[in-house]
């Protein structure tokens, strides 16, 4: 006899929604995983009390009843599979799978029986139809009549809206049969009635989906969103997952609630409820329950009086009531240090979060894709620019999601993340070791990360960064700046051979004046950019004998105190040592810090004196070389014809007293005039 039986097909859950999924029967129990939502039904073998095999619309069906009154129905079996299932149930579950057919007489009168979460309408001993009471949204009574209204199924083309039962009048034991019928329905139905006081209320919370500000009233069984225009009542049974996601700006937090079935407004369906909080917003919360009730209901997860960040309070209350883990980002870190990637989906820009078991995109429209439903991913070149790329995801159902306009710097980190998760990458093929190892029947909600543990880790990282910020004052400028002085010399040397030529035309005079203005601007920039010039000179050739840069006040203190911290904390690591030093420095008083600030200031002055002295000598040598060079050029340029010897000598005397700016401008203008004359002669 086989240890397990597996079935793939369309199965119907007790909620009545038709969903594709996988069913596995093992010695330990029965597991069904919904392919659409990833939700898992796990029925232990010891909980089963009855199994019924019957004919239904989609072939054959299996109905299972448990000790706690739950009913599970799975359809889509073949008739030939009955013997195999019968033997399996008898061997492993010690149950006989009974074959029981539905009544097809077509009569519309019979007996109503309430068993667990099902309403069964029977004729004789055979059931005609069954109604899961969890699908009932409203129950109203009239004279000898009870009306049941149902939650609508968006996936079905045709949905049952309501059913009316006629109850004959009887006076047994003084109980009204209509009211008794209605009470039996309401005790198991998913009817939302805002009776009693709310456990707590959060006022004016900003909501992105659906958009607006809402008061959130927390009741024991449902969540009530009250806005200026719309009201929504969300049963906790419809909550699939909870997400707590940090915004890229590190000042805000997203709290996302995944819903199935979604909340509705007209023809719009909202599968996700997205709240946006500021990290700086705090709240003090008092639950509308006494301490004994809080302890009994929540087992220490909540207390009567709580205080903290608003997003933390909302997520903590929701986690306790829904009884689901909060999913947070995993170990992924983008190029900017954030745990998300900026991208566009369809026409809107948003954030894509790589999680431990899937991807989620917020916020418009929100998308959540699990790893176990991904067929492959693809990295594509951006359509508009080469500075970005597209990330495409295709699911096993054929749905494709394209996240575009992702910065090129994110490619390496995202590619490494996808490879680490062993997802198939298109055009790369399914290589050895890339076959994903996901359990087909594992619950996709069971992430190994806890939101509050992650938050504490984040705060630890922030403290460590703050402690090391003060040690980052030793950075040097690495960008080369525009150096006007050097470019002046280059211009003068380029036109050395043309300095003897001159022109008195109006065109040459205007060019000369324009050159003078440019040279004056460059000289002014040279005075204002001394610090930039220093950095460029240091970068060109670093003197090994040059004085070292002075240390900051923190580094001076840390150098002296390092051994003392080591002795106080034996065996401390280098990372913990720097972290501990940062904490001590941060908690030090201003008077003690002032002493080290004075020492750092003295060291800076000594450094500037030594540095300026070395630069003064080198600048003098450079100036003497430049003067010799200019004199040599003047001698070469002052050899004209005999008739102009007296003129050239006087010109030489006058040129020796010209400033550097004037010489270069005159030479450049004369060179341009000479080249223009040559062009005219050729024409």
């Amino acid at each position: 006899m086989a240890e397990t039986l597996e079935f793939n097909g369309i199965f119907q859950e007790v909620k009545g929604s038709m969903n594709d999924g996988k069913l596995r029967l093992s010695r330990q129990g029965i597991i069904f995983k919904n392919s659409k939502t990833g939700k898992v039904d796990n029925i232990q073998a010891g909980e089963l009390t009855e199994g019924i095999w019957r004919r239904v619309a989609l072939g054959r069906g299996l109905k299972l009843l448990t000790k706690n009154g739950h009913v599970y129905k799975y359809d889509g079996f073949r008739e030939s599979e009955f013997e195999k299932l019968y033997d399996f149930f008898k061997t492993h579950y010690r149950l006989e799978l009974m074959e029981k057919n539905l009544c097809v007489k077509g009569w519309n009168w019979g007996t109503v029986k309430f068993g667990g979460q099902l309403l069964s309408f029977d004729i004789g001993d055979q059931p005609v139809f069954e109604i899961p009471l969890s699908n009932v949204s409203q129950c109203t009574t009239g004279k000898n009549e009870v009306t049941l209204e149902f939650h609508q199924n968006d996936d079905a083309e045709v949905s049952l809206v309501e059913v009316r039962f006629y109850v004959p009048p009887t006076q047994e034991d003084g109980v009204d049969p209509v009211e008794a019928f209605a009470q039996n329905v309401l005790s198991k139905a998913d009817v939302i009635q805002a009776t009693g006081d709310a456990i707590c209320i959060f006022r004016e919370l900003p909501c992105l989906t659906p958009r607006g500000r809402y008061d959130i009233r927390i009741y024991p069984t449902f969540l009530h969103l009250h806005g200026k225009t719309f009201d929504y009542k969300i049963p906790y049974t419809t909550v699939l997952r909870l997400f707590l996601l940090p915004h890229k700006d590190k000042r805000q937090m997203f709290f996302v609630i995944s819903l199935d079935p979604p909340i509705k407004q007209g023809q719009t369906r909202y599968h996700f409820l997205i709240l946006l909080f500021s990290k700086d917003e705090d709240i003090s919360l008092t639950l509308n329950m006494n301490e004994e009730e809080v302890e009994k209901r929540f087992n220490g997860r909540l207390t009567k009086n709580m205080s903290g960040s608003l997003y933390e309070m909302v997520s903590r209350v929701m986690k306790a009531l829904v009884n689901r883990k909060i999913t947070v980002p995993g170990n992924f870190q983008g190029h900017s240090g954030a745990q998300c990637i900026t991208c566009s989906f369809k026409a809107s820009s948003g954030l894509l979060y790589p999680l431990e078991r899937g991807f989620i995109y917020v916020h418009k429209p929100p998308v959540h894709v699990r790893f176990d439903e991904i067929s492959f991913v693809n990295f594509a070149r951006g359509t508009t620019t080469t500075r970005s790329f597209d990330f495409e995801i295709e699911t096993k159902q054929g749905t494709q999601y394209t996240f575009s306009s992702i910065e090129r710097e994110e490619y390496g980190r995202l590619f490494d993340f996808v490879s680490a998760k062993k997802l198939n990458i298109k055009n790369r093929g399914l290589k050895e070791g890339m076959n994903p190892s996901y359990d087909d029947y594992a619950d996709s909600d069971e992430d190994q990360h806890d939101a509050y543990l992650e938050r504490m880790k984040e705060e630890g990282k922030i403290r460590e960064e703050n402690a090391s910020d003060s040690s980052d004052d030793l950075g040097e400028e690495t960008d080369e700046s525009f150096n006007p002085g050097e470019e002046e010399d280059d211009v003068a040397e380029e036109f050395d051979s043309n300095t003897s030529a001159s022109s008195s035309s109006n065109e040459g005079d205007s060019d000369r004046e324009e050159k003078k203005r440019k040279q004056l601007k460059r000289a002014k920039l040279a005075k204002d950019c001394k610090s930039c010039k220093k950095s460029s000179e240091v970068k060109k050739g670093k003197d090994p004998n040059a004085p070292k840069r002075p240390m900051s006040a923190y580094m001076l203190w840390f150098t002296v105190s390092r051994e003392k911290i080591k002795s106080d904390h034996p065996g401390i690591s280098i990372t913990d040592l720097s972290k501990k030093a940062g904490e001590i420095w941060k908690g030090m008083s201003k008077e003690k810090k002032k002493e080290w600030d004075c020492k750092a200031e003295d060291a800076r002055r000594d450094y500037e004196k030594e540095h300026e002295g070395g630069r003064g000598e080198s600048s003098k040598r450079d100036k003497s070389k430049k003067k010799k060079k200019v004199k040599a050029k003047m001698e070469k340029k002052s050899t004209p014809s005999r008739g102009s010897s007296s003129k050239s000598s006087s010109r030489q005397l006058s040129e020796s007293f010209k400033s550097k700016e004037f010489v270069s401008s005159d030479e450049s203008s004369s060179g341009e005039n000479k080249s223009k004359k040559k062009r005219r002669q050729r024409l």
Side-chain angles (χ1 to χ4, degrees):
M1 184 67 189
E3 293 290 327
T4 60
L5 292 177
E6 294 192 7
F7 300 93
N8 294 324
I10 299 175
F11 298 100
Q12 181 178 3
E13 297 180 279
V14 69
K15 289 183 179 179
S17 57
M18 303 296 291
N19 291 305
D20 188 12
K22 294 183 177 181
L23 183 71
R24 180 171 70 183
L25 286 77
S26 65
R27 297 180 63 181
Q28 291 77 23
I30 299 173
I31 300 174
F32 173 74
K33 184 170 183 180
N34 191 322
S35 298
K36 179 183 176 183
T37 63
K39 192 174 180 181
V40 175
D41 288 335
N42 194 344
I43 310 170
Q44 297 297 324
E47 296 179 1
L48 292 172
T49 58
E50 188 178 358
I52 298 173
W53 178 268
R54 59 188 180 180
R55 185 172 183 175
V56 292
L58 294 173
R60 300 288 172 169
L62 184 64
K63 177 183 173 182
L64 303 174
L65 285 79
T66 61
K67 292 179 181 178
N68 54 13
H70 290 289
V71 179
Y72 299 89
K73 294 191 295 182
Y74 303 106
D75 300 347
F77 295 96
R78 293 187 293 271
E79 188 175 358
S80 59
E81 293 171 338
F82 172 71
E83 292 183 3
K84 182 168 56 174
L85 284 169
Y86 181 86
D87 294 338
F88 192 90
F89 269 72
K90 191 172 183 178
T91 304
H92 298 294
Y93 303 148
R94 301 180 184 277
L95 290 176
E96 288 193 9
L97 194 61
M98 297 184 295
E99 192 170 2
K100 199 171 184 180
N101 293 321
L102 298 175
C103 179
V104 290
K105 286 185 177 180
W107 294 359
N108 62 348
W109 67 90
T111 306
V112 172
K113 294 180 180 179
F114 293 93
Q117 294 180 337
L118 281 181
L119 180 155
S120 177
F121 185 80
D122 298 348
I123 298 177
D125 294 332
Q126 290 182 313
V128 179
F129 61 84
E130 294 173 343
I131 297 176
L133 293 178
S134 58
N135 271 12
V136 177
S137 63
Q138 192 59 265
C139 176
T140 57
T141 59
K143 186 178 180 180
N144 300 331
E145 193 175 72
V146 179
T147 304
L148 306 184
E149 298 179 9
F150 303 101
H151 295 294
Q152 297 303 297
N153 183 9
D154 294 331
D155 298 330
E157 296 181 1
V158 179
S159 297
L160 181 63
V161 177
E162 70 175 28
V163 172
R164 294 184 181 181
F165 293 93
Y166 174 78
V167 183
T170 57
Q171 294 296 331
E172 296 180 1
D173 300 331
V175 178
D176 186 2
V178 174
E179 289 297 328
F181 189 106
Q183 289 302 319
N184 282 326
V185 172
L186 290 173
S187 63
K188 301 292 184 180
D190 189 12
V191 178
I192 301 174
Q193 294 178 339
T195 57
D197 296 329
I199 296 175
C200 61
I201 301 175
F202 298 99
R203 302 283 184 185
E204 293 290 320
L205 294 186
C207 190
L208 299 180
T209 304
R211 193 169 186 83
R213 285 188 172 270
Y214 291 86
D215 292 342
I216 297 184
R217 294 182 171 89
I218 306 293
Y219 288 91
T221 58
F222 69 94
L223 180 74
H224 184 197
L225 267 70
H226 177 69
K228 294 182 178 179
T229 310
F230 303 113
D231 275 6
Y232 303 99
K233 293 176 181 176
I234 305 171
Y236 297 139
T237 54
T238 65
V239 176
L240 282 180
R241 297 174 186 87
L242 302 174
F243 301 91
L244 189 61
L245 309 170
H247 197 281
K248 194 172 185 179
D249 60 9
K250 298 182 180 179
R251 294 180 296 176
Q252 300 180 96
M253 296 290 289
F254 291 109
F255 184 62
V256 183
I257 303 173
S258 175
L259 304 172
D260 182 57
I263 55 177
K264 307 168 187 177
Q265 186 57 53
Q267 296 299 319
T268 307
R269 303 290 184 267
Y270 297 106
H271 292 270
F272 293 89
L273 178 65
I274 302 179
L275 303 172
L276 183 63
F277 300 99
S278 173
K279 282 188 174 181
D280 300 330
E281 193 172 355
D282 297 331
I283 187 175
S284 295
L285 187 65
T286 302
L287 301 184
N288 190 18
M289 302 170 68
N290 58 48
E291 294 182 358
E292 293 180 358
E293 291 177 345
V294 173
E295 180 63 29
K296 183 178 179 181
R297 180 177 175 84
F298 301 111
N299 296 325
R301 290 176 293 178
L302 297 179
T303 57
K304 182 175 176 61
N305 298 305
M306 298 180 291
S307 62
S309 300
L310 179 58
Y311 76 89
E312 185 181 354
M313 292 296 102
V314 174
S315 58
R316 188 174 172 184
V317 170
M318 286 297 298
K319 180 182 178 183
L321 287 167
V322 178
N323 198 22
R324 286 192 173 273
K325 284 188 176 181
I326 297 179
T327 304
V328 297
N331 299 323
F332 176 81
Q333 196 170 32
H335 175 71
S336 61
Q339 293 180 293
C340 57
I341 297 172
T342 304
C343 62
S344 297
F345 179 62
K346 294 184 177 178
S348 301
S349 178
L351 299 173
L352 179 66
Y353 291 85
L355 307 174
E356 286 300 313
R357 291 177 177 268
F359 295 96
I360 185 170
Y361 172 83
V362 290
H363 80 286
K364 194 174 180 180
V367 175
H368 178 233
V369 186
R370 306 186 311 277
F371 287 159
D372 56 6
E373 63 178 336
I374 293 177
S375 176
F376 62 82
V377 299
N378 182 36
F379 294 88
R381 183 179 297 175
T383 55
T384 56
T385 176
T386 58
R387 294 177 180 269
S388 63
F389 67 94
D390 296 349
F391 181 60
E392 300 172 353
I393 299 175
E394 185 163 328
T395 64
K396 295 174 182 177
Q397 288 76 25
T399 308
Q400 186 170 353
Y401 303 95
T402 302
F403 304 99
S404 58
S405 303
I406 304 175
E407 293 180 359
R408 189 171 54 185
E409 290 78 10
E410 304 284 4
Y411 172 78
R413 296 172 185 268
L414 185 57
F415 186 87
D416 292 343
F417 176 83
V418 170
S419 301
K421 297 300 179 183
K422 298 183 180 181
L423 297 177
N424 298 332
I425 301 176
K426 194 177 181 181
N427 300 330
R428 175 174 167 177
L430 186 61
K431 296 188 177 180
E432 186 178 355
M434 291 298 293
N435 206 357
S437 59
Y438 300 111
D439 186 358
D440 288 339
Y441 296 92
D443 193 347
S444 58
D445 300 330
E446 294 297 324
D447 289 336
Q448 299 300 321
H449 294 265
D450 187 86
Y452 305 105
L453 179 61
E454 287 290 330
R455 182 170 177 270
M456 295 304 294
K457 289 180 181 179
E458 285 287 334
E459 290 180 354
K461 288 180 183 178
I462 292 170
R463 284 197 296 270
E464 189 173 346
E465 289 173 2
N466 291 338
S468 60
D469 279 346
S470 54
S471 62
D472 296 338
D473 301 333
L474 306 179
E476 297 183 3
E477 290 184 2
T478 57
D479 295 336
E480 288 192 19
S481 303
F482 171 67
N483 194 340
E486 293 180 3
E487 292 202 1
E488 280 182 7
D489 298 337
D490 295 340
V491 173
E493 290 175 6
E494 185 180 352
F495 296 102
D496 280 348
S497 59
N498 300 328
T499 52
S500 59
S502 62
S503 176
S504 59
S505 63
N506 295 333
E507 187 176 351
D509 293 336
S510 62
D511 292 341
R512 191 180 298 112
E513 289 176 1
E514 186 176 351
K515 286 286 182 181
K516 283 182 182 179
R517 286 195 297 270
K518 289 183 179 179
Q519 295 295 338
L520 289 172
K521 285 183 181 178
R522 289 179 181 177
K524 190 175 181 181
L525 286 171
K527 293 178 182 178
D528 297 337
C529 297
K530 285 184 179 180
S531 60
C532 300
K533 194 171 182 180
K534 287 178 187 177
S535 63
S536 62
E537 286 176 358
V538 169
K539 195 169 182 179
K540 280 186 175 181
K542 194 170 183 181
D543 189 1
N545 299 322
K548 293 184 179 179
R549 285 185 174 271
M551 290 193 289
S552 65
Y554 169 76
M555 291 304 295
L556 287 171
W557 169 83
F558 183 61
T559 305
V560 175
S561 307
R562 185 197 298 267
E563 296 301 327
K564 185 177 182 303
I565 298 173
K566 281 186 177 180
S567 62
D568 294 342
H569 303 82
I572 191 170
S573 64
I574 296 174
T575 306
D576 294 336
L577 177 65
S578 60
K579 183 178 177 181
K580 189 67 179 177
E583 292 175 356
I584 296 172
W585 176 260
K586 192 174 181 181
M588 195 181 293
S589 63
K590 291 184 178 180
E591 289 75 13
K592 292 183 179 180
K593 284 185 180 180
K594 192 172 183 181
E595 176 187 349
W596 296 102
D597 290 337
C598 293
K599 290 182 180 181
E601 184 65 23
D602 294 340
R604 187 183 64 80
R605 288 174 185 168
D606 295 340
Y607 167 77
E608 287 181 353
K609 286 179 182 179
E610 294 178 12
H611 194 65
E612 288 295 332
R615 287 188 71 257
E617 293 177 3
S618 61
S619 61
K620 286 179 182 178
R621 288 195 297 270
D622 293 341
K623 285 182 180 179
S624 62
K625 286 181 182 179
K626 288 180 182 178
K627 285 182 180 179
K628 289 179 182 179
K629 199 172 185 180
V630 171
K631 285 181 181 179
K633 290 176 186 176
M634 294 305 172
E635 289 175 1
K636 289 181 181 179
K637 295 169 187 174
S638 60
T639 55
S641 60
R642 296 178 182 178
S644 59
S645 60
S646 59
K647 293 181 182 179
S648 62
S649 60
S650 62
R651 185 188 302 162
Q652 187 174 356
L653 289 171
S654 62
E655 285 180 352
S656 62
F657 295 97
K658 287 181 182 178
S659 66
K660 189 185 294 185
E661 292 85 355
F662 186 79
V663 170
S664 59
S665 64
D666 190 27
E667 289 168 357
S668 61
S669 62
S670 60
E672 288 181 0
N673 292 334
K674 188 172 181 180
S675 61
K676 287 179 181 178
K677 286 180 181 179
K678 286 183 179 180
R679 290 174 186 168
R680 289 173 185 171
Q681 288 176 2
R682 289 176 184 174
L683 293 172

